[in-house]
Amino acid sequence: MSHKLTFSGRISGFFFEVGDMSLFAVRYFREVFRGPYEFRELLNQCYTIGNRSLLLVGVTGFILGLVFTLQSRPTLMEFGAESWMPSMVSISIVREIGPVITALICAGKIGSGIGAELGSMKVTEQIDAMEVSGTNPFKYLVITRITATTLMIPLLIVFGDFIALLGSALVENLKGGVSFTLYFNKVFNALSFGDLLPATIKSFFFGFVIGLVGCYKGYHCKKGTLGVGEASNSAVVYASMLLFIVDFIAVFISDIFFEI
Amino acid sequence: MEKPTQIQPVLEIKDLRKSFGDNHVLRGFNLVLNKGENLVVMGKSGSGKSVMIKCLVGLMQADSGSIQINNKSIVTLGQVELDLLRTEIGFLFQGSALYDSMTVKENLEFPLRRHKKKLNFKQSNDELILEALKNVGLEDAIDLMPSELSGGMKRRVALARALIMKPKIILYDEPTTGLDPITAKEIIALMRQIQTQYDTSSLIITHDVDCARVISNRIILLIDGINYAEGTYQELIRSHDPKVKAFFKH
Amino acid sequence: MSKKKSQIIRLGVFVVLGTLLLTAALYFIGNRQHLFTKNIDLYSKFRNVNGLQVGNNVRYSGIDVGTVNSIQIQSDTLILVRMLLRSSETQFIKKNAVATIGSDGLVGNMIINIIPREGSSASIAKGDTISSFSRIGSEDMLTTLNVTNENAALLTADLLKITTEILNGDGTLGMLIRDKRLAQDLKASIYQLKIASTNTSQMIADLETKISAIDMENSAAGILLTDSIEGNKIRHSLTQLVTLGERLNEIGNSVENIVDEIENGNGALSYLTTDTLVVRQLDATLINIKESTKRFNENMEALRHNFLFRRYFKKQERVQRKEAKKEN
């Protein structure tokens, strides 16, 4: 790949990266179903990615629900439509805001973490050491991490959504005197499978994208500490960008299948 | 050092070529490592030593040439066979390359996870680990994290990890780089001790002349991508070739 | 090892909780859509479904009992709506119930309301069709509202014109409000009325004195007057006349007060609008006047039957009759 910053160089560099990342994804799918399986490491990664991010996701989700409800209240009150708050908040959180915000936070925390970890392992020849010791580092490091993000981020999104709705219900309870039972009754009244299913399906793709980009960037890290920083940084940037592209495509597809 | 009694090649490189774009790093390198031998490959930085050793273990693909380890050509091996072959080779990395996220014990355990059964070791993992650590004099460090170790200790743990599968060939990539002279000497002494204890053949890549002098049975000078000169330390320091002389001049 | 174990346990808790949450959410949503309950289907035919959609709620007496399952056009004027109702609730819904389409609040979703009707009937069964009633939809409501609005706009425009004219002093009402002289004339007239009533009152008092001065025992008038029936009648008339005079006097006073007050303001109407007391007084006055005139009429009737005036009244009647004849 050319490192000259000419326009054509950048363009070809971009396409090279897209192609290379696609090959990386293809390699993931080729190897994920083939043994040997690194279950211990997978569980370890699930723990790191899932449990260790729950607090962050929970806090941001709670504040998101709280603020969203507080901000929307005056407008809805103007129309005398406060009773629509649970429906409005739940639909926007479950369908869009919850998955996207949680995924972006995970891209920041998990994606950059994976990028930096694999990047530094690459730089200090730990990945080579694994390979030499007869362990497939792609299986050990990449498959486990991408699988873990693909499985854990949807769960984090479910938690995030739920906690955001709790935050919203709290505001409604304190400011509007709406009981939690009534709030959640209205929430489930407003939601349909067409809201929850596409959001859940797309959250698996979010998880996959975060893991894929983090692993790719780390695995192809350039030598030196600067390379590690760059790997972690570009993992976040690329993952965030890809998340929005995936989201766009997901909305497009669910529009066709679920008739939003 | 006395020469090995029987000459039996365990590692053979023939006409190895590797280039990165216009940069032809290896241009037909040849090497034979005999059983029980300590072969040192010397060269300047960027001369292609590391590339050569990476090609040797399959971390890099050579452009052409053949590499035979224990009479198996690594170029033609599939992944599974290659991984199995790699258990016969110990590799000490330049920067130790210990896994940061694992304790010393887990670092040593790591190569055992996949291949212990195939190698029919009778000892348990813990016994193997303890034995390897004893041999490098670090049995107390078993539960420490790599970040808690000094540079010399890291190198020893890395050596213990390279030894855990009881390999017959050990590849050392700049074993003394980044260490103070005293620690470097300790490591060299350790390498010699292990060579006798485990009955291994060693391929050592270094630019440290002292290291080469102490440990080598034979030295190959890698200059301009080929094995430029070959011989014992004594033979080479007597050479009149200016490029060779440049190496041994202090 | 124990650290690893506790990690795995915590991971397990995380996964189980997350999965449970998701499953619970799916279950509750499914429950709303009656996916996990035993359902029966019920049909109804409409001419217009007013934007009803599949998935809208079906309510029976205001309770959610099911959802709309499908909507099919059967002919150019008939739309078949299939509803899925929870079978546990269907025993309460009778075959004679009526389905109507309404909206959940002014801007809410469309719903089907099943309304029970009087009279006994069997409970609905699977596949039944119940009759429908097309109620006014929110669209129709809005159309009506629109017409009402237009009318209101026209009304206010007219009202504006009228008030402008009043303010400019055009028309009778305008003149009443703007003209101070009129108020003065009114005052003068009322003053005259007061004097007249005082005089009347005095005159009646004189009459009373004179009557009481008649020798009741000896004179013919006395005999006539002491005739118990006729006498009582006359006494009664006189008493009423006295009261009338006093009342007229009172009215005169209060009207005078009112007009004074009006004069102090900038025209009559502005004062009326600022002082409710005046309004009340005026109201009371008018009632008094009405009452007084009624009594005056009664008195006049009584007088007509009295012997003293009978002749006069008869003569009057005769004249009227003659005039009527002449006219014919």
Side-chain angles (χ1 to χ4, degrees):
Chain A
M1 199 173 76
S2 161
H3 290 287
K4 288 172 197 158
L5 290 173
T6 58
F7 183 68
S8 64
R10 278 187 187 185
I11 295 282
S12 67
F14 169 76
F15 283 117
F16 176 83
E17 199 134 34
V18 171
D20 206 29
M21 211 185 279
S22 311
L23 284 178
F24 199 74
V26 168
R27 189 174 167 196
Y28 168 80
F29 285 112
R30 254 209 330 252
E31 297 206 17
V32 70
F33 299 111
R34 261 193 305 191
Y37 304 105
E38 302 283 357
F39 280 123
R40 283 268 289 280
E41 178 63 7
L42 178 65
L43 289 180
N44 194 21
Q45 286 306 318
C46 284
Y47 178 77
T48 315
I49 288 161
N51 293 43
R52 291 276 173 85
S53 313
L54 184 59
L55 186 68
L56 181 69
V57 166
V59 169
T60 35
F62 188 73
I63 292 171
L64 174 78
L66 214 77
V67 170
F68 188 31
T69 311
L70 276 175
Q71 299 277 38
S72 325
R73 266 188 80 78
T75 317
L76 283 186
M77 276 172 82
E78 218 168 282
F79 294 107
E82 302 108 289
S83 65
W84 282 69
M85 184 70 83
S87 329
M88 194 195 79
V89 170
S90 62
I91 286 177
S92 37
I93 281 180
V94 167
R95 254 195 202 169
E96 197 56 40
I97 300 176
V100 171
I101 297 279
T102 309
L104 283 177
I105 287 165
C106 290
K109 186 185 183 288
I110 299 164
S112 73
I114 291 175
E117 190 189 8
L118 295 198
S120 71
M121 285 184 86
K122 176 82 179 175
V123 167
T124 56
E125 293 183 311
Q126 290 176 48
I127 293 181
D128 286 344
M130 267 182 199
E131 180 126 35
V132 168
S133 71
T135 299
N136 183 346
F138 193 85
K139 272 198 191 308
Y140 188 81
L141 298 173
V142 176
I143 303 274
T144 52
R145 278 164 178 76
I146 296 181
T147 309
T149 53
T150 310
L151 295 177
M152 287 295 117
I153 283 172
L155 281 180
L156 283 172
I157 287 172
V158 169
F159 278 113
D161 286 358
F162 179 68
I163 293 169
L165 287 180
L166 272 185
S168 170
L170 186 71
V171 172
E172 280 293 280
N173 187 265
L174 294 179
K175 290 214 141 191
V178 177
S179 74
F180 282 87
T181 319
L182 177 63
Y183 186 91
F184 280 98
N185 202 8
K186 283 190 167 182
V187 163
F188 288 117
N189 231 342
L191 291 176
S192 66
F193 285 128
D195 299 316
L196 193 59
L197 283 187
T200 309
I201 294 167
K202 107 180 146 185
S203 63
F204 282 98
F205 285 94
F206 285 173
F208 178 75
V209 162
I210 290 167
L212 178 78
V213 176
C215 286
Y216 174 80
K217 285 291 170 186
Y219 214 68
H220 292 89
C221 174
K222 288 182 207 127
K223 288 275 178 189
T225 39
L226 202 69
V228 178
E230 206 182 294
S232 128
N233 184 27
S234 56
V236 180
V237 174
Y238 275 64
S240 312
M241 207 171 70
L242 261 178
L243 281 178
F244 281 107
I245 295 171
V246 168
D247 189 43
F248 173 72
I249 296 168
V251 169
F252 220 69
I253 293 172
S254 55
D255 198 19
I256 297 166
F257 287 105
F258 288 93
E259 291 175 27
I260 299 170
Chain B
M1 288 209 93
E2 70 262 40
K3 292 230 168 189
T5 43
Q6 63 205 96
I7 296 174
Q8 185 191 342
V10 288
L11 195 157
E12 212 173 339
I13 297 174
K14 272 184 195 156
D15 197 26
L16 190 70
R17 288 167 193 274
K18 176 76 185 172
S19 52
F20 299 96
D22 295 334
N23 182 18
H24 302 283
V25 180
L26 297 174
R27 309 166 178 222
F29 182 75
N30 294 291
L31 175 152
V32 176
L33 174 67
N34 295 312
K35 193 168 190 290
E37 190 184 25
N38 288 340
L39 175 63
V40 172
V41 175
M42 288 181 80
K44 289 188 290 185
S45 295
S47 60
K49 302 178 307 253
S50 287
V51 172
M52 184 269 291
I53 206 168
K54 279 182 178 165
C55 288
L56 207 59
V57 289
L59 289 174
M60 252 181 214
Q61 292 251 285
D63 294 340
S64 67
S66 76
I67 299 164
Q68 298 255 329
I69 296 172
N70 290 338
N71 296 320
K72 284 172 201 150
S73 168
I74 71 139
V75 184
T76 55
L77 287 179
Q79 189 64 44
V80 179
E81 291 99 334
L82 183 62
D83 281 345
L84 201 62
L85 180 64
R86 278 166 174 167
T87 61
E88 297 170 30
I89 307 167
F91 199 122
L92 182 72
F93 283 87
Q94 195 172 345
S96 305
L98 294 180
Y99 309 128
D100 299 323
S101 55
M102 303 179 198
T103 62
V104 168
K105 187 187 173 191
E106 287 164 342
N107 260 285
L108 265 64
E109 213 171 15
F110 192 82
L112 291 172
R113 303 171 320 126
R114 283 271 159 256
H115 299 289
K116 197 192 165 214
K117 278 181 193 159
K118 290 176 197 161
L119 296 175
N120 297 317
F121 286 144
K122 289 189 182 80
Q123 292 156 288
S124 71
N125 278 5
D126 286 358
E127 283 167 348
L128 283 167
I129 290 163
L130 212 63
E131 185 192 329
L133 280 177
K134 241 179 216 164
N135 286 334
V136 297
L138 272 180
E139 55 265 57
D140 294 336
I142 189 158
D143 287 323
L144 295 180
M145 297 298 285
S147 56
E148 296 168 302
L149 303 174
S150 70
M153 286 161 90
K154 276 185 191 165
R155 210 55 64 89
R156 283 163 188 255
V157 173
L159 189 55
R161 189 176 68 186
L163 292 171
I164 197 91
M165 305 293 283
K166 299 185 176 169
K168 289 297 150 202
I169 302 165
I170 302 181
L171 309 178
Y172 297 91
D173 187 2
E174 309 272 11
T176 55
T177 304
L179 298 177
D180 60 275
I182 297 165
T183 316
K185 276 198 181 99
E186 283 173 12
I187 294 291
I188 292 164
L190 192 62
M191 284 160 67
R192 289 183 64 176
Q193 175 208 320
I194 279 158
Q195 200 253 327
T196 47
Q197 202 172 343
Y198 282 81
D199 189 23
T200 56
S201 320
S202 310
L203 178 66
I204 302 135
I205 285 176
T206 186
H207 56 251
D208 181 353
V209 180
D210 282 336
C211 171
R213 181 174 54 81
V214 175
I215 207 155
S216 67
N217 301 123
R218 195 154 56 93
I219 297 171
I220 290 175
L221 288 183
L222 173 55
I223 300 170
D224 299 331
I226 53 161
N227 35 345
Y228 188 80
E230 198 174 329
T232 61
Y233 179 76
Q234 296 301 329
E235 283 165 12
L236 287 176
I237 53 167
R238 275 184 247 118
S239 168
H240 296 291
D241 191 300
K243 283 186 178 173
V244 177
K245 276 178 108 174
F247 264 98
F248 299 99
K249 200 166 59 183
H250 282 287
Chain C
M1 215 51 193
S2 66
K3 188 185 142 211
K4 274 247 164 80
K5 211 171 180 180
S6 78
Q7 268 189 14
I8 292 173
I9 290 168
R10 272 186 276 172
L11 175 67
V13 171
F14 176 83
V15 171
V16 168
L17 273 182
T19 319
L20 275 182
L21 265 179
L22 186 66
T23 325
L26 285 172
Y27 174 78
F28 281 122
I29 293 170
N31 211 13
R32 294 277 155 197
Q33 299 185 357
H34 311 290
L35 290 186
F36 307 121
T37 45
K38 257 184 136 182
N39 296 316
I40 70 154
D41 49 348
L42 182 68
Y43 296 86
S44 191
K45 289 168 184 169
F46 293 90
R47 285 178 151 268
N48 183 349
V49 291
N50 291 94
L52 187 79
Q53 283 180 327
V54 170
N56 278 141
N57 284 330
V58 177
R59 285 187 188 157
Y60 176 71
S61 301
I63 301 166
D64 281 340
V65 289
T67 49
V68 173
N69 183 256
S70 78
I71 299 169
Q72 284 175 333
I73 302 179
Q74 284 219 318
S75 70
D76 55 346
T77 54
L78 215 60
I79 297 159
L80 182 71
V81 175
R82 180 173 189 254
M83 297 166 267
L84 280 185
L85 307 189
R86 276 199 298 275
S87 51
S88 54
E89 328 267 2
T90 50
Q91 50 169 315
F92 304 108
I93 305 171
K94 308 294 180 199
K95 281 183 197 250
N96 66 354
V98 181
T100 71
I101 292 174
S103 93
D104 193 3
L106 192 63
V107 286
N109 290 320
M110 300 308 291
I111 49 171
I112 290 187
N113 279 310
I114 297 177
I115 301 163
R117 260 203 305 203
E118 300 276 312
S120 61
S121 176
S123 295
I124 53 162
K126 199 170 182 264
D128 273 355
T129 304
I130 59 170
S131 55
S132 73
F133 172 68
S134 283
R135 241 191 189 174
I136 185 166
S138 61
E139 227 168 277
D140 303 332
M141 240 156 76
L142 286 176
T143 318
T144 317
L145 208 62
N146 197 24
V147 174
T148 315
N149 264 340
E150 278 168 10
N151 290 344
L154 285 174
L155 267 173
T156 44
D158 287 349
L159 213 57
L160 190 69
K161 240 196 286 183
I162 292 165
T163 44
T164 318
E165 279 178 359
I166 288 172
L167 283 176
N168 291 337
D170 299 340
T172 321
L173 202 56
M175 215 166 71
L176 258 174
I177 288 165
R178 306 285 294 183
D179 202 338
K180 284 188 180 176
R181 256 195 71 185
L182 192 75
Q184 274 170 351
D185 288 352
L186 199 64
K187 194 192 162 191
S189 313
I190 288 163
Y191 184 65
Q192 295 296 326
L193 190 65
K194 194 188 160 193
I195 291 168
S197 62
T198 317
N199 290 345
T200 317
S201 163
Q202 226 162 10
M203 211 175 74
I204 290 166
D206 285 352
L207 189 65
E208 199 174 19
T209 332
K210 278 174 185 164
I211 288 172
S212 44
I214 295 170
D215 187 347
M216 292 295 168
E217 301 276 314
N218 304 315
S219 69
I223 293 161
L224 273 172
L225 287 172
T226 44
D227 175 275
S228 61
I229 301 164
E230 292 298 319
N232 277 344
K233 271 184 187 170
I234 290 170
R235 212 169 287 139
H236 182 68
S237 307
L238 286 175
T239 325
Q240 286 202 332
L241 269 175
V242 172
T243 330
L244 176 71
E246 279 166 1
R247 274 179 183 266
L248 273 175
N249 205 6
E250 271 170 32
I251 292 161
N253 279 333
S254 54
V255 172
E256 195 180 18
N257 283 341
I258 292 160
V259 175
D260 272 343
E261 280 165 3
I262 290 170
E263 255 197 333
N264 293 337
N266 290 328
L269 197 65
S270 67
Y271 202 83
L272 281 176
T273 49
T274 49
D275 198 340
T276 49
L277 195 70
V278 178
V279 178
R280 248 180 280 142
Q281 279 181 350
L282 201 61
D283 202 26
T285 312
L286 285 170
I287 292 167
N288 281 344
I289 289 173
K290 201 177 160 191
E291 242 173 53
S292 306
T293 24
K294 198 179 151 198
R295 288 196 182 163
F296 194 80
N297 272 342
E298 276 173 14
N299 289 339
M300 290 304 282
E301 194 66 24
L303 274 176
R304 206 199 272 208
H305 295 288
N306 191 283
F307 78 103
L308 281 175
F309 305 99
R310 201 181 284 159
R311 186 174 287 192
Y312 167 75
F313 280 114
K314 277 193 173 164
K315 202 177 170 185
Q316 285 278 320
E317 269 177 29
R318 248 180 272 139
V319 172
Q320 274 180 1
R321 244 178 272 151
K322 267 182 192 170
E323 274 173 5
K325 268 184 187 170
K326 267 182 195 169
E327 275 174 22
N328 289 338

